[in-house]
Amino acid sequence: MKISIVGTGYVGLVSGTCFAQMGNSVVCVDIDEKKVKELRKGIIPIYEPGLEEMVFGNHKNGSLRFTTDIKEALDFSDICFIAVGTPMEEDGSADLKYVLAVANSIGQNIKRHTYIVDKSTVPVGTADKVRKTVQEALDSRGSSLTFDVISNPEFLKEGAAVEDFMKPDRVVIGAECEKALSVMRELYAPFVRNHDRFIAMDIKSAEMTKYTANAMLATKISFMNEISNICERVGADVNQVRNGIGSDKRIGYSFIYPGCGYGGSCFPKDVQALVKTSKDHGYTPKLLDAVEEVNFAQKRVISTKVIEYFTEDLSGKTFAVWGLSFKPETDDMREATSIIVINELTKRGAKIKAYDPKAIKEAKEFYLKDNQNVDYVTSKYDALDSSDAMILLTEWKEFRSPDFEEIAKRLKNRVIFDGRNQYNKKQLEKYGFEYLQIGVG
């Protein structure tokens, strides 16, 4: 099938590449000329396991192309995916200006019936706005061309996005006519061949499904973090509690690991957007408000522990930070806890020696670029030299079984603050460490 995808960010690039991998002809569009030039060379703007090789291979064989010209892409394709960003406004709502700008361009440039697919994460009712925008553009041309608007939310996990797309848990499609559903069934057939995971519904329900899924997962995380804070105060161990409840099939083990808060591009933005949508329609979602409040506080738990241990004035103190990205297997630092922890400590006079396998460039160039009290190192052990304590914030695999003798040798004080509960307290006590983790009284 002939597909165009507008937007070569996380969702657009992964989607376009995976569609091409299955034999479709794909043109990806982006207004950033530098990015398009780099993509043509096989240089991708994000880190995602397995993606770079797929982009290079499919571009080389001609099934995946990149352009800055949306007209060229629409002339080529029958299906056009909108996969541009929907950044969060100050009031928590999703900013649809990029989505609607693309919709206008589609209306100005299509030459035949086109299936327009909302792939961006958008609030309920966005498809109606896209339809209205496209129709207005067609009317301004005096055109009688027809089109269909379809909702196809993405459910990709950063760090496992390629696998999630190639072997999806489900493919959710919201459409108003059987022909549009039939086209999407054909497109996704290779991805759901082994099991029928194609779920058809009305458009507004499809739009709501994405937000509901992320809100549910965020709720599980905040719930467990709330329990961890209670455990600390009553003398219980949240890790043992997690094992006790996770064995219940009704609960399960997924997303009940206590930690220092969730981040990334999805959970914070989507929960707040759902709260805003709800309030706009006259309902106050008390549970979702609480989910965000708990997460806001949880991101500050580790810095609070450090301050309580070393006192408010951290002048002359240096801390080794292991992990900058909001989760492992990605370089994404959007809404990462590391930003808050590092800024809270440095504004009290501390110095930071930071290490992350993939996110150092992001930290230097964007998220911590104005913080002059952060030094970046190329080895996790180098971060420890002359540091007063170690702080673990991201559960990268290479942090799971470190050489504790080496850590003890390099640190000035044998103190570890663990925001992801990665280690065994008794094991660390053998080496003389003070181990301060989440949710253990």
Side-chain angles (χ1 to χ4, degrees), residues 54-327:
M54 286 177 63
V55 170
F56 182 81
N58 285 289
H59 181 62
K60 187 177 180 180
N61 68 27
S63 59
L64 179 63
R65 294 186 286 129
F66 301 98
T67 183
T68 58
D69 187 351
I70 192 170
K71 183 177 183 301
E72 172 192 340
L74 292 169
D75 285 348
F76 166 81
S77 62
D78 301 303
I79 306 170
C80 179
F81 283 82
I82 301 176
V84 294
T86 53
M88 186 168 58
E89 299 270 35
E90 287 186 10
D91 63 359
S93 61
D95 186 350
L96 297 177
K97 64 183 176 186
Y98 302 116
V99 170
L100 297 180
V102 173
N104 180 66
S105 293
I106 293 170
Q108 292 290 348
N109 289 288
I110 55 173
K111 293 182 178 178
R112 57 183 174 277
H113 185 94
T114 301
Y115 297 94
I116 303 166
V117 186
D118 284 334
K119 196 68 172 171
S120 302
T121 299
V122 293
V124 177
T126 298
D128 292 339
K129 295 178 180 179
V130 168
R131 184 181 298 104
K132 180 173 181 289
T133 301
V134 174
Q135 190 60 59
E136 287 175 350
L138 287 170
D139 291 345
S140 71
R141 293 166 52 189
S143 172
S144 59
L145 283 171
T146 58
F147 62 94
D148 285 292
V149 177
I150 300 164
S151 176
N152 173 212
E154 55 87 13
F155 300 98
L156 305 177
K157 298 187 297 291
E158 292 192 45
V162 171
E163 183 178 0
D164 285 347
F165 200 102
M166 299 298 284
K167 299 176 181 179
D169 291 330
R170 75 284 206 198
V171 173
V172 172
I173 301 295
E176 292 185 335
C177 69
E178 187 54 44
K179 176 60 178 174
L181 281 175
S182 176
V183 168
M184 297 305 286
R185 279 197 181 95
E186 181 181 351
L187 176 61
Y188 277 105
F191 300 94
V192 295
R193 191 175 301 280
N194 293 333
H195 301 280
D196 186 9
R197 298 187 174 102
F198 190 95
I199 303 173
M201 58 184 71
D202 65 84
I203 290 176
K204 288 186 177 181
S205 295
E207 292 172 332
M208 187 68 178
T209 296
K210 167 65 176 181
Y211 279 109
T212 304
N214 280 350
M216 171 60 83
L217 297 175
T219 299
K220 292 184 73 174
I221 293 170
S222 281
F223 173 81
M224 206 63 202
N225 284 334
E226 188 89 296
I227 294 300
S228 76
N229 293 327
I230 298 172
C231 285
E232 276 195 37
R233 287 156 178 78
V234 302
D237 184 336
V238 71
N239 301 301
Q240 296 182 40
V241 173
R242 177 181 60 80
N243 286 329
I245 67 170
S247 56
D248 187 328
K249 292 180 181 179
R250 297 169 301 174
I251 298 172
Y253 290 102
S254 297
F255 288 86
I256 62 167
Y257 287 82
C260 50
Y262 58 76
S265 63
C266 295
F267 288 4
K269 178 170 70 74
D270 293 355
V271 172
Q272 291 180 53
L274 185 54
V275 168
K276 179 64 167 57
T277 297
S278 178
K279 290 179 178 178
D280 286 347
H281 287 78
Y283 180 76
T284 300
K286 295 178 182 178
L287 179 58
L288 295 182
D289 276 336
V291 167
E292 269 296 287
E293 289 173 13
V294 169
N295 193 58
F296 179 88
Q298 199 68 18
K299 288 184 173 185
R300 290 152 179 81
V301 166
I302 287 294
S303 56
T304 299
K305 287 179 181 291
V306 174
I307 293 162
E308 288 176 349
Y309 187 93
F310 286 99
T311 74
E312 184 77 20
D313 184 2
L314 298 176
S315 299
K317 301 295 183 185
T318 300
F319 299 104
V321 171
W322 282 14
L324 296 170
S325 58
F326 86 94
K327 63 180 284 189

Side-chain angles (χ1 to χ4, degrees), residues 384 387-390 407-415 433:
L384 305 171
S387 292
D388 292 276
M390 179 187 120
I407 296 174
K409 187 192 308 179
R410 296 200 183 204
L411 280 176
K412 287 169 64 176
N413 307 297
R414 297 187 181 190
V415 182
F433 283 101

